[in-house]
Structures are given as structure tokens and as C-alpha cells.
Amino acid sequence: MAQIIDGKAIAADIRREVAAEAAALASAHNIVPGLAVVIVGSRKDSQTYVNMKRKACAEVGIRSIDLDLPEDISELALVAEVHRLNADPAVHGILVQLPLPKHINEEKILSEISIEKDVDGFHPLNIGKLAMKGRQPLFLPCTPKIKGDWIKPGAAVIDVGTNSVDDPTRKSGYRLVGDVDFAEVSKVAGYLTPVPGGVGPMTVAMLLKNTVDGAKWGIVE
């Protein structure tokens, strides 16, 4: 059986470090790291992650700037909102929750985020530098469909999928699952991340870390 990688425990350590750094910034420089979280529409899985990120910000001393936009917002209007956040000095990181509605070009929106505020690491320049030898992106992406017979025995399987499935036994009416057939893959893999409790907590923790790092830029010690 696969050894389950406890994303929650690792993420908890990172959050404690981020909280200490945020407190030091506020005390020494009167800077409160600010993260703008943009969500378009009302997908259940997206809402779950956005709420998780906003709660996490509050827990570590990061100011969450919430922007909930309608499903039918135009691409032009969304670009304008991104530009507004780019120009706001109180915003040190911008996260646009994916996926976006089909009428909006995701690549276009992500490329409009200032590279200095691209804490998700999805800007084409950050992705390009990540892929090039000897280049250092400003931010690394925060997130590190498999069946049991698709993988080699002993492989490390990182499930980054998030899907909502109906579950009448839950108060919410649904539960979250990954892309991996957990029961089947756990019999073959050497290491496996669960959903929830694996990549999700780590993604949020590294998002917080990137936001604090963004707030540090320009500070002269």
C-alpha cells in the first residue's frame, strides 16, 4: 500500500513560518501583505478553494482583497479589474481562480497580471523562466488522471485534481475528489497524495508564502 503524503502537516509548518514573516513585516515596516483573490462565477470546487485561501490569509496576517465577479463578465471588463489590482500598491499578489468561463481566454487574463504580483506562478514569463536552464522565475507555481494500471509500481503520485461529486450524506450536498482512483492507485503507488488533504493545503501554503515574499520586495534593510 502507498504511503500517504500528509499535505496538511507540511503545510502547517509553512503557515507558521509565513505568519512569523508577516508579523515581522507589519512590525518593522508597517506593511501588511495583500492578496487579491478573484473568482468569476460560482463553481462549487472553485468556491471551496477560494474560501479556503481567504480564510488562510486571515490566519497568517495577510489582507485578503476579495473580488467576486459574475459568470457573464466580459473579458475586457475582467482585464480592467486585473489592471486595477496591478496598480494598487496595497496588493502584493493577485490570484485569478481557474477555470474561467468558456467565453474568457485564460491565457490572456493570466498574461495581464503583473509579473511582480503573479503569486500563482502562471504568467507566461514565470512559466518560461521555470522551464529554462539557469533562469529564475519571480514565483514558482504553487501546485506540484491516473489509474492503477497506468503507473509503475512504487511511483510517487501527486493528485492535483479537484472535482465535486454529489453526496447526499454531506451537509453541502457534495464532496471533493481528485483525478486519481485513490482506492486502486494506493495499491500500486509508493507514495500518494489524498484529496482533500494533499496538494490543496500545500498549494494554499505556498500561495501565502509567495504573497509575503512579494510584499518584501523593495524593502531596504
Side-chain angles (χ1 to χ4, degrees), residues 26-68:
S27 175
H29 302 283
N30 198 31
I31 294 175
V32 177
L35 174 64
V37 182
V38 182
I39 184 169
V40 180
S42 55
R43 279 177 57 111
K44 291 179 180 178
D45 52 353
S46 292
Q47 290 284 353
T48 296
Y49 268 105
V50 164
N51 290 337
M52 186 189 307
K53 291 164 185 173
R54 289 170 174 170
K55 180 181 178 182
C57 283
E59 291 174 350
V60 299
I62 291 176
R63 176 174 169 251
S64 178
I65 298 95
D66 304 337
L67 198 61
D68 295 83

Side-chain angles (χ1 to χ4, degrees), residues 9 11 15 41 53 58 66 89 96 98 105 109 112 116 123-127 139 141-142 146 177 202 209 211 219:
R15 287 196 191 197
K53 291 164 185 173
D66 304 337
V96 176
L98 302 179
N105 184 321
I109 300 303
E112 293 294 331
E116 291 84 6
H123 190 285
L125 288 179
N126 271 326
I127 292 293
F139 293 108
C142 303
I146 304 165
V177 298
M202 280 300 297
K209 172 64 174 171
T211 300
I219 294 176

Side-chain angles (χ1 to χ4, degrees), residues 5 38 42 64 86 88 99 117 122-124 128 137 151 179-180 217:
I5 301 173
V38 182
S42 55
S64 178
N86 284 341
D88 188 342
K117 298 187 180 186
F122 286 165
H123 190 285
I151 64 172
D179 288 336
V180 169
W217 289 344

Side-chain angles (χ1 to χ4, degrees), residues 82-156:
V82 170
H83 287 177
R84 181 178 63 80
L85 295 172
N86 284 341
D88 188 342
V91 174
H92 302 101
I94 301 172
L95 179 148
V96 176
Q97 182 66 37
L98 302 179
L100 292 171
K102 293 182 179 179
H103 68 281
I104 295 177
N105 184 321
E106 290 185 352
E107 182 180 356
K108 166 68 174 174
I109 300 303
L110 295 177
S111 67
E112 293 294 331
I113 297 173
S114 169
I115 189 171
E116 291 84 6
K117 298 187 180 186
D118 174 40
V119 288
D120 240 352
F122 286 165
H123 190 285
L125 288 179
N126 271 326
I127 292 293
K129 288 184 178 181
L130 180 65
M132 294 173 69
K133 183 179 180 181
R135 301 295 179 89
Q136 181 64 44
L138 290 179
F139 293 108
L140 295 176
C142 303
T143 301
K145 206 169 182 180
I146 304 165
K147 289 284 187 181
D149 57 1
W150 293 1
I151 64 172
K152 293 181 180 179

